[in-house]
Amino acid sequence: MAGETLTASSYIQHHLQNLVYGKHPETGWGFAHSAQEAAEMGFWAIHVDSMMWSVGLGILFLWLFRKAAKSVTSGVPGGLQNFVEVMVEFVDGSVKETFHGKNPVIAPLALTIFCWIFLMNLMDLVPVDFLPQLFHAAGVEYMKVVPTTDINITFGMSLSVFALIIYYSIKVKGVGGFVGELTLQPFGKWMMPFNLLLEGVGLIAKPISLALRLFGNLYAGELIFILIALLPFWAQWALSVPWAIFHILVITLQAFIFMMLTIVYLSMAHEDH
């Protein structure tokens, strides 16, 4: 992919371009062959690679945990059972320490968020040319394999969490309680418009910060891997291995932060005062 026909700039742009399917104003339905053509398809164009990898990794997560649950034993556990038990206990402990309400949905939701985001982030450790070259040989022009470097994926997840925040806020506090929370604090009823502005900005900032934090960290990490791939072969090994080891911390930390903020936000939604 980084052959002689590609400059450094075009190589980077190629690796940062999604496989987009949509309706072009001139050519009709089909896959975009350039970033400009993808942009001309508009909002409803689908990033096929992001959808494929995110859904596939979600299915992988469900299959692994279901397999562990079906083969669970009280004797000497296997490696998969040990891993699943550690993950469940870790997430369960985090929920008990942070979530102060009573809701059976929160722990499974937190477990799903952490494991799913971790698997999507983990794709960043695959060599940047390996999978794109395989798909290129099969006739697929573009292929981004890290779903969390796509702002659409991270915003989709954060907006889902935001919808749960609104739902549980209204369910626990009622419509009046939720509206009162947005308009009657911190300065009382005489400054309701100012209160609504402050609380509204704080509410809207939750999904935006969730999405941009995850996207920004993973996008930057992927870009560094791409820049390293442009270097001579000996320099690639000298830089990519240390960065990959450090990036293991980044991908785990970002999954943990997204999970913990989700728990905190939903805990706040359950607090009625």
Side-chain angles (χ1 to χ4, degrees), residues 101-257:
K102 291 184 178 180
N103 191 333
V105 174
I106 304 303
L109 174 66
L111 179 66
T112 301
I113 286 175
F114 179 80
C115 294
W116 195 15
I117 292 179
F118 176 79
L119 287 174
M120 289 191 286
N121 292 352
L122 192 64
M123 296 299 293
D124 214 7
L125 298 182
V126 178
V128 294
D129 281 330
F130 178 66
L131 290 175
Q133 280 183 342
L134 293 180
F135 280 93
H136 184 70
V140 179
E141 191 170 356
Y142 299 104
M143 180 56 58
K144 282 186 67 176
V145 301
V146 188
T148 42
T149 60
D150 187 343
I151 192 67
N152 299 283
I153 296 296
T154 59
F155 257 110
M157 300 185 73
S158 67
L159 290 175
S160 300
V161 172
F162 184 64
L164 289 175
I165 294 172
I166 301 298
Y167 170 76
Y168 284 115
S169 294
I170 296 176
K171 182 180 180 180
V172 173
K173 305 164 189 175
V175 175
F178 179 54
V179 173
E181 189 178 70
L182 294 177
T183 57
L184 299 178
Q185 60 180 8
F187 298 114
K189 61 182 180 180
W190 302 110
M191 298 189 69
M192 290 176 62
F194 188 66
N195 293 337
L196 179 60
L197 177 62
L198 287 179
E199 294 296 324
V201 170
L203 184 64
I204 298 299
K206 291 176 181 178
I208 295 176
S209 64
L210 276 178
L212 294 183
R213 181 185 295 106
L214 179 59
F215 164 75
N217 280 277
L218 270 296
Y219 188 87
E222 181 188 41
L223 184 58
I224 291 176
F225 277 121
I226 293 172
L227 293 174
I228 292 175
L230 288 169
L231 299 174
F233 183 76
W234 60 269
Q236 291 183 28
W237 279 103
L239 295 175
S240 62
V241 173
W243 177 243
I245 294 173
F246 173 75
H247 206 56
I248 294 173
L249 174 63
V250 174
I251 63 179
T252 306
L253 184 61
Q254 291 305 313
F256 175 75
I257 290 174

Side-chain angles (χ1 to χ4, degrees), residues 18-19 46-57 116 144 147 150 152-153:
N18 286 97
L19 177 65
I46 300 174
H47 289 186
V48 179
D49 43 10
S50 295
M51 294 294 294
M52 179 186 72
W53 288 107
S54 59
V55 172
L57 291 169
W116 195 15
K144 282 186 67 176
D150 187 343
N152 299 283
I153 296 296

Side-chain angles (χ1 to χ4, degrees), residues 11-116:
Y11 175 80
I12 294 172
Q13 292 175 2
H14 183 276
H15 277 66
L16 295 179
Q17 174 63 38
N18 286 97
L19 177 65
V20 180
Y21 181 84
K23 185 177 181 180
H24 192 271
E26 297 180 1
T27 59
W29 291 97
F31 289 98
H33 299 290
S34 66
Q36 181 180 354
E37 190 174 338
E40 292 172 351
M41 288 181 173
F43 177 79
W44 293 108
I46 300 174
H47 289 186
V48 179
D49 43 10
S50 295
M51 294 294 294
M52 179 186 72
W53 288 107
S54 59
V55 172
L57 291 169
I59 293 173
L60 175 63
F61 157 69
L62 294 174
W63 177 77
L64 284 175
F65 276 64
R66 185 174 184 272
K67 180 180 179 182
K70 291 183 67 176
S71 61
V72 66
T73 176
S74 58
V76 180
L80 179 60
Q81 182 179 333
N82 269 328
F83 171 76
V84 170
E85 287 180 353
V86 168
M87 295 303 303
V88 171
E89 291 176 2
F90 165 70
V91 173
D92 189 54
S94 300
V95 172
K96 288 179 178 177
E97 293 174 1
T98 310
F99 186 77
H100 305 300
K102 291 184 178 180
N103 191 333
V105 174
I106 304 303
L109 174 66
L111 179 66
T112 301
I113 286 175
F114 179 80
C115 294
W116 195 15

